[in-house]
Amino acid sequence: MTSMAAVGTFVPADRVPIESYADAFDLSPMQVRVFRRYHKIGSAARSEQPLTGLLRLALADLALTPELAARVRYVLYARSFPVVVPYPHNPLHEVLAEAGLGHAQAFAIGQQACASGLLAIDLAGRLLAADGDDGLAVVLAGEKAFTGETRFVPETSMFGEGAAACLVSAAGGRDRLLSYVARLRGEFDGDQEEVASEFQRIYHDALGEAVTAAVAEAGIALQDVAVILPHNVNNIAWQRTCKRIDFPLERVLLDHVADYGHVFCADAFINHRTAIERGLLRPGDRYVIAAAGAGRGATFSAMVFEH
């Protein structure tokens, strides 16, 4: 059974406030206040580190021993955007060579935008199960906010910089994957105004349905879920989603929305680390990781794990 054996994270100390975006994105004082008071987004994490530095620090925090590194067969780089550095740079292979993981098969997963991290966990587990031995995989996540599109989503969110590394095994005693549901919505491909409007209209119902479907597939009830580890898009999105599925908002870990911003596909792993540090997960607890991605179509996905 696919398991998250260990998680490493890096979130820089520096922050960029929403007020600094006012000129670049033509935000009125009222729009800035809405972000802070309504969406509960005040700042986003920023780093002077290049992308290689972000990924390197997350891998270092994973603290792989030489023995574990030798067992890593696959590295899956989960990312929100198709292009994360200018051609012909290849930060993934550069970082892996430095970390002693140059022998692993490495590739990117980005087909589901900000939900690609969940897809990467599932795919890593499937690859390892097919091998049928004690091999391991690493899921990497983290990007630089180096363009307007990667810094800010109008009326929705701010992207933050950071990174995460997750060690995946085909079997394990902790953080075992019980179910995975991904709802692909191809009708939301495109930037037309009517497409964006409809996406916003169905967003909370679609995300809530993915969560409840994953919980049902895991064979448990929603009230059995100890905590939801969300993508950090904004608070109001989760308030509305929780209302749709009748789930207590206080059991959604929203600690980092206001401070870190939406750290691309790394949100799930950063929130997992926080849940462990805060003692929100005890052995045997079931919890949900949920995400939504919009790009070439839309994806609403959720996973149920047993800690």
Side-chain angles (χ1 to χ4, degrees):
M1 183 177 289
T2 301
S3 301
M4 293 193 295
V7 172
T9 63
F10 169 71
V11 179
D14 291 342
R15 299 288 182 269
V16 55
I18 182 62
E19 287 80 6
S20 68
Y21 282 8
D23 290 339
F25 296 99
D26 196 24
L27 301 178
S28 69
M30 177 59 74
Q31 288 174 307
V32 170
R33 287 196 294 271
V34 165
F35 258 87
R36 279 198 175 274
R37 299 177 184 178
Y38 185 65
H39 294 307
K40 306 297 184 185
I41 300 173
S43 64
R46 284 292 182 276
S47 175
E48 294 184 357
Q49 290 278 352
L51 181 56
T52 50
L54 297 179
L55 299 178
R56 185 183 297 118
L57 287 163
L59 271 174
D61 192 55
L62 192 59
L64 292 177
T65 64
E67 292 77 16
L68 287 175
R71 290 169 55 194
V72 174
R73 296 274 183 81
Y74 309 99
V75 176
L76 292 75
Y77 179 23
R79 62 197 199 197
S80 299
F81 288 91
V83 178
V84 294
V85 292
Y87 176 84
H89 299 290
N90 195 327
L92 176 61
H93 290 280
E94 180 181 335
V95 169
L96 296 184
E98 294 175 1
L101 296 173
H103 61 278
Q105 296 185 49
F107 53 94
I109 300 291
Q111 293 87 343
Q112 296 182 5
C114 294
S116 295
L118 278 65
L119 174 62
I121 294 172
D122 179 65
L123 182 55
R126 290 174 183 270
L127 288 169
L128 294 172
D131 290 342
D133 53 27
D134 66 346
L136 298 168
V138 171
V139 172
L140 278 176
E143 296 167 51
K144 290 290 289 184
F146 70 108
T147 66
E149 186 180 10
T150 59
R151 286 190 293 154
F152 185 68
V153 182
E155 302 180 11
T156 302
S157 192
M158 298 172 69
F159 283 106
E161 294 181 349
C166 177
L167 185 65
V168 178
S169 67
R174 285 283 184 90
D175 295 308
R176 299 181 303 123
L177 178 61
L178 303 183
S179 66
Y180 171 48
V181 166
R183 304 299 197 215
L184 309 182
R185 303 290 294 270
E187 69 268 29
F188 294 112
D189 186 17
D191 296 323
Q192 302 95 334
E193 185 175 340
E194 61 271 19
V195 171
S197 176
E198 179 64 9
F199 176 75
Q200 292 296 331
R201 189 188 69 81
I202 63 94
Y203 181 95
H204 311 98
D205 287 329
L207 184 56
E209 190 277 332
V211 170
T212 55
V215 168
E217 187 175 301
I220 63 175
L222 197 58
Q223 58 263 34
D224 298 325
V225 174
V227 65
I228 292 178
L229 307 182
H231 64 311
N232 297 341
V233 60
N234 62 53
N235 275 33
I236 196 65
W238 280 102
Q239 290 175 15
R240 291 176 176 175
T241 298
C242 286
K243 186 175 181 179
R244 299 290 204 281
I245 63 175
D246 193 24
F247 187 81
L249 182 64
E250 59 269 21
R251 280 158 57 189
V252 181
L253 200 160
L254 295 169
D255 297 36
H256 301 311
V257 173
D259 188 35
Y260 293 0
H262 179 18
V263 192
F264 303 97
C265 294
D267 283 345
F269 309 110
I270 292 170
N271 286 333
H272 183 274
R273 167 64 67 84
T274 298
I276 298 297
E277 291 174 347
R278 286 185 52 195
L280 301 179
L281 291 174
R282 297 169 298 178
D285 279 351
R286 283 74 173 268
Y287 63 97
V288 170
I289 296 177
R296 295 177 179 176
T299 302
F300 299 91
S301 59
M303 286 179 156
V304 177
F305 288 86
E306 182 175 73
H307 186 56

